[in-house]
Amino acid sequence: MRAWRTHRYGPPREVLQLDEVAVPEPDHGQILVRVQAIPLNLNDLERITGGPMLVEPELPFSPGMEVFGTVEAVGHGVEADEWIGRRVAAMPLQAHGGWAQHAVCNAVSAFEVPATIPLPGAAALYFPFHLAWLGLMDRALLQADETVLVHAAAGGSGSAAVQLAKHFGARVIATAGGPDKGALCKELGADVVLDSHEDGFAEGLLLERVLAETDGRGADVVFDNVGAALFDASIKATAYDGRYLMMGFASDKSVADQPWIVPRQVLMGNIRLCGVTLAYADDGLRSMVKAAMGWNLASGRQGAAIMHEIVELVEAGAVRPVVGDVVGFEDLPAAITAMADRKTTGRVVALIEGDQP
């Protein structure tokens, strides 16, 4: 099969090579997916440039933490009759290996997407809507008539969060960079759009604007996948008994394992600080990770339930995947470069040759 592989760390156009490699075989609890589409994620960049990684694979390897395709084979412990032929969105093993014509994934991290949802939208559902659901519905317990502040609202999980929040009756304040992205947020249902490119946005303008839009209360829920650049301003903009959702670190991943949160900010804010991670595992691995690291992973059962809810909403026309660009498999290095330069809106989806929308 063909696979884009990182042979050394550096700029995508320089270090990615399109190689011919053997098709991998699924092991216990795993499935083999014939990849039809590859959604790009910012975290794919660190596998290419050598940025902060939770698990650093041995070079050379394929980046790609998300794939969409058809199940071709299964490993031990997976029922072939239930899986082979399924159309699934899935996470490859250890969140890499997806930039290839086949990918091995844990069955617990793969979810069926019905044929009623065509490509490229079908490939754009998984990560954004699962993240948004885990944050808004599971952690924040979002209620109708609450105000939600969504950062980077024209991106993948941000655009999903805007739509889910509106569907469940919330008022949405969206932040986005520039008029084009702001227009998309309005189209998705945002009540107020703030331009994050304005001077002083992180230094006080964000707080000023949010307070003006909430009668001085602040936002009941802050959905923040930007991280360090807007953390202080976002904490200040969270209402009494509000929920700040730590969704990611797009502005600076290097702080992910650093002591950069000041306890008094949380204490004096009288807020709830919520961590949100998209990672599904079976009960055995969940227990092992809890004992070894103290971390909590969601169950595959929860993931399946969330996907069921999301599919129903998409089929009803209540929400939609936001696809900004559709590119070819050969264009992946250029596409991830554009994402790194913040030149993309919504999701970027690469289609394997022959798999057209």
Side-chain angles (χ1 to χ4, degrees):
M1 69 175 187
R2 295 192 303 163
W4 283 103
R5 297 202 297 173
T6 301
H7 287 257
R8 59 184 175 86
Y9 295 125
R13 294 175 185 268
E14 296 179 14
V15 302
L16 285 168
Q17 294 184 26
L18 190 53
D19 297 333
E20 287 284 343
V21 299
V23 175
E25 295 185 4
D27 204 338
H28 183 82
Q30 299 171 358
I31 60 174
L32 176 67
V33 176
R34 180 178 69 81
V35 178
Q36 296 170 284
I38 303 166
L40 274 62
N41 291 278
L42 273 176
N43 284 347
D44 294 334
L45 270 172
E46 61 200 28
R47 267 73 171 185
I48 301 168
T49 63
M53 287 177 262
L54 188 61
V55 177
E56 185 172 346
E58 181 179 348
L59 292 167
F61 64 89
S62 292
M65 64 186 302
E66 186 182 1
V67 296
F68 177 89
T70 303
V71 179
E72 278 198 347
V74 300
H76 297 297
V78 181
E79 294 292 334
D81 291 345
E82 294 182 9
W83 282 92
I84 291 180
R86 271 193 184 185
R87 188 172 181 260
V88 298
M91 178 188 291
L93 301 182
Q94 296 185 340
H96 70 274
W99 285 21
Q101 292 177 309
H102 289 82
V104 171
C105 310
N106 284 319
V108 74
S109 296
F111 305 101
E112 187 169 12
V113 181
T116 52
I117 304 175
L119 284 172
L125 285 177
Y126 182 9
F127 280 20
F129 279 94
H130 279 243
L131 269 169
W133 190 286
L134 286 167
L136 295 175
M137 311 313 297
D138 286 10
R139 300 295 184 281
L141 302 175
L142 180 65
Q143 302 296 307
D145 298 323
E146 289 190 313
T147 297
V148 181
L149 172 63
V150 180
H151 288 316
S157 61
S159 62
V162 170
Q163 294 180 80
L164 287 177
K166 287 301 297 181
H167 175 74
F168 288 105
R171 181 170 182 263
V172 174
I173 301 173
T175 73
D180 291 343
K181 292 184 177 182
L184 172 63
C185 295
K186 278 287 191 179
E187 178 188 333
L188 295 175
D191 299 280
V192 177
V193 177
L194 308 179
D195 190 345
S196 59
H197 286 173
E198 288 190 69
D199 290 341
F201 191 76
E203 287 73 34
L205 185 59
L206 172 62
L207 175 61
E208 177 185 323
R209 295 288 176 81
V210 172
L211 292 182
E213 293 291 342
T214 58
D215 295 326
R217 290 185 60 256
D220 300 292
V221 178
V222 176
F223 185 97
D224 184 11
N225 48 28
V226 173
L230 293 178
F231 179 78
D232 288 345
S234 297
I235 289 290
K236 292 175 182 176
T238 305
Y240 181 89
D241 200 30
R243 290 84 79 199
Y244 170 87
L245 304 177
M246 183 177 289
M247 307 297 304
F249 310 94
S251 64
D252 185 1
K253 186 69 176 286
S254 68
V255 304
D257 295 305
Q258 301 300 319
W260 59 284
I261 295 175
V262 178
R264 195 178 298 279
Q265 290 177 305
V266 180
L267 184 149
M268 294 304 296
N270 278 294
I271 64 173
R272 284 177 267 177
L273 183 61
C274 306
V276 185
T277 295
L278 175 56
Y280 298 117
D282 59 34
D283 291 342
L285 180 58
R286 294 174 70 208
S287 296
M288 185 185 308
V289 170
K290 182 64 175 176
M293 307 295 295
W295 297 347
N296 298 304
L297 303 181
S299 71
R301 295 182 298 276
Q302 184 176 7
I306 291 172
M307 183 60 90
H308 177 76
E309 297 279 0
I310 292 165
V311 165
E312 284 197 340
L313 290 176
V314 174
E315 290 181 329
V319 302
R320 66 176 176 89
V322 178
V323 178
D325 292 301
V326 179
V327 302
F329 185 64
E330 290 77 9
D331 300 321
L332 276 168
I336 197 72
T337 299
M339 178 176 282
D341 294 338
R342 300 295 196 269
K343 295 179 179 179
T344 59
T345 299
R347 304 218 71 189
V348 178
V349 177
L351 296 179
I352 301 293
E353 185 177 354
D355 292 304
Q356 299 301 317

